[in-house]
Amino acid sequence: MALFDNVLKLQHYVSHTLNRKFDMKNLINQIPVSCSQTRSDAPRLPLPPPLPGKHGWPWKTELPVLFETAGSDHPWPRVSIVTPSFNQGAFIEETIRSVLQQSYPHIEYIIIDGGSSDGTVEIIRKYEHRLAFWTSEPDEGQADALRRGFARARGEILAYLNADDVYTPRAVETAVSTFRNDPDLALVHGDSAIINASGAKIGHKRGGEGAYLPYFLHMVNPISQPSAFWRRADYEAIGGVDSQLHYIVDYDLWSRMGLTGKKIR
């Protein structure tokens, strides 16, 4: 597995949605900073004002929130989103706002930070009134953070958004609507824009279409990770995230899900 992990390291980096560098400084000997208590449902209170000079999504664009039910008094399912983070203070606020500004009414947002020392914790604290849970303490890397985050999640639909990625407006609403229109779907995903450190679009990644098994067998990742949402039941059926991996966490998850024969779109 270690060899397979290393072979796909470069491919995973290239397919990553944002062309931003991960800061590995201070990776060792981090000191636990803080840990919040889990909220049953974080209230939808106003967000802090945007940073000076920031405009447009997700800084100043307010989306109308969907009704609490999706017709016939049937509630929308809870969507749990986990953000793993380590020293991404330059980007994480934009990530957080892109989740909390979504139109979807039932989002459980969890942030698992690995003990950042670059101002990330101070940014998270600004938004903790809208978070279901957050913590900042040393961990074993992204996969470990994701596994811990999803262990706390209670949503019927799951996703994760790295601390230097952003959702587009109505991304969650669109994903859930797709699931509702096709009960057999295990995972849904879409296209992704590639942006630079300033947020400018520099490319486009189109999601794979048709039969996914050939992609997986040829070690090609056809699914753009930040665009992916999946059902909790299917995630648990394959054992969840493999915490021993570091570079192909998403590819491993999609391939194991695809090999079960579950429907991916």
Side-chain angles (χ1 to χ4, degrees), residues 17-18 57-58 63 79-83 94-102 107 109 158-162 164-173 175 192 195 224-230:
T17 300
L18 299 186
W57 179 264
L63 296 178
V79 177
S80 297
I81 299 170
V82 175
T83 289
E94 189 173 0
T95 300
I96 292 172
R97 293 182 74 95
S98 79
V99 174
L100 299 180
Q101 295 255 56
Q102 291 289 316
I107 293 177
Y109 191 26
L158 306 177
Y160 75 90
L161 190 67
N162 288 320
D164 58 356
D165 292 344
V166 295
Y167 281 142
T168 56
R170 303 189 187 282
V172 179
E173 174 186 342
S192 293
I195 63 177
S224 179
Q225 177 271 309
S227 75
F229 294 78
W230 57 92

Side-chain angles (χ1 to χ4, degrees), residues 207-258:
E209 296 179 346
Y212 286 87
L213 186 56
Y215 286 106
F216 297 134
L217 294 178
H218 287 85
M219 295 192 293
V220 174
N221 190 348
I223 298 172
S224 179
Q225 177 271 309
S227 75
F229 294 78
W230 57 92
R231 295 189 192 274
R232 180 192 193 93
D234 295 300
Y235 172 84
E236 293 179 342
I238 61 172
V241 169
D242 185 345
S243 60
Q244 300 302 308
L245 299 179
H246 296 287
Y247 300 111
I248 60 164
V249 177
D250 55 340
Y251 175 87
D252 174 72
L253 197 61
W254 315 151
S255 59
R256 284 189 285 125
M257 194 173 292

Side-chain angles (χ1 to χ4, degrees), residues 179 185-189 223 228-231 234 254 257 263-265:
F179 277 120
L185 269 179
L187 182 150
V188 63
H189 69 103
I223 298 172
F229 294 78
W230 57 92
R231 295 189 192 274
D234 295 300
W254 315 151
M257 194 173 292
K263 190 174 180 180
I264 297 174
R265 175 180 172 187

Side-chain angles (χ1 to χ4, degrees), residues 67-93:
F67 291 111
E68 292 292 312
T69 61
S72 302
D73 296 325
H74 187 69
W76 292 100
R78 178 184 283 114
V79 177
S80 297
I81 299 170
V82 175
T83 289
S85 167
F86 182 69
N87 283 347
Q88 292 290 289
F91 310 117
I92 193 171
E93 187 160 9

Side-chain angles (χ1 to χ4, degrees), residues 104-215:
Y104 194 73
H106 295 309
I107 293 177
E108 178 186 57
Y109 191 26
I110 296 167
I111 299 178
I112 307 295
D113 181 70
S116 294
S117 58
D118 67 341
T120 293
V121 171
E122 288 71 21
I123 293 171
I124 296 173
R125 288 188 194 278
K126 290 170 55 179
Y127 295 89
E128 64 181 353
H129 62 289
R130 290 282 299 274
L131 303 178
F133 177 84
W134 74 274
T135 186
S136 182
E137 58 188 348
D139 56 36
E140 299 300 319
Q142 183 194 53
D144 179 51
L146 288 172
R147 193 166 182 89
R148 290 166 56 205
F150 287 132
R152 288 186 171 274
R154 298 169 299 131
E156 298 172 46
I157 297 171
L158 306 177
Y160 75 90
L161 190 67
N162 288 320
D164 58 356
D165 292 344
V166 295
Y167 281 142
T168 56
R170 303 189 187 282
V172 179
E173 174 186 342
T174 301
V176 175
S177 295
T178 304
F179 277 120
R180 291 177 65 85
N181 292 333
D182 190 344
D184 294 328
L185 269 179
L187 182 150
V188 63
H189 69 103
D191 295 352
S192 293
I194 301 173
I195 63 177
N196 62 18
S198 300
K201 183 176 178 179
I202 60 174
H204 186 82
K205 178 176 172 59
R206 185 172 180 79
E209 296 179 346
Y212 286 87
L213 186 56
Y215 286 106

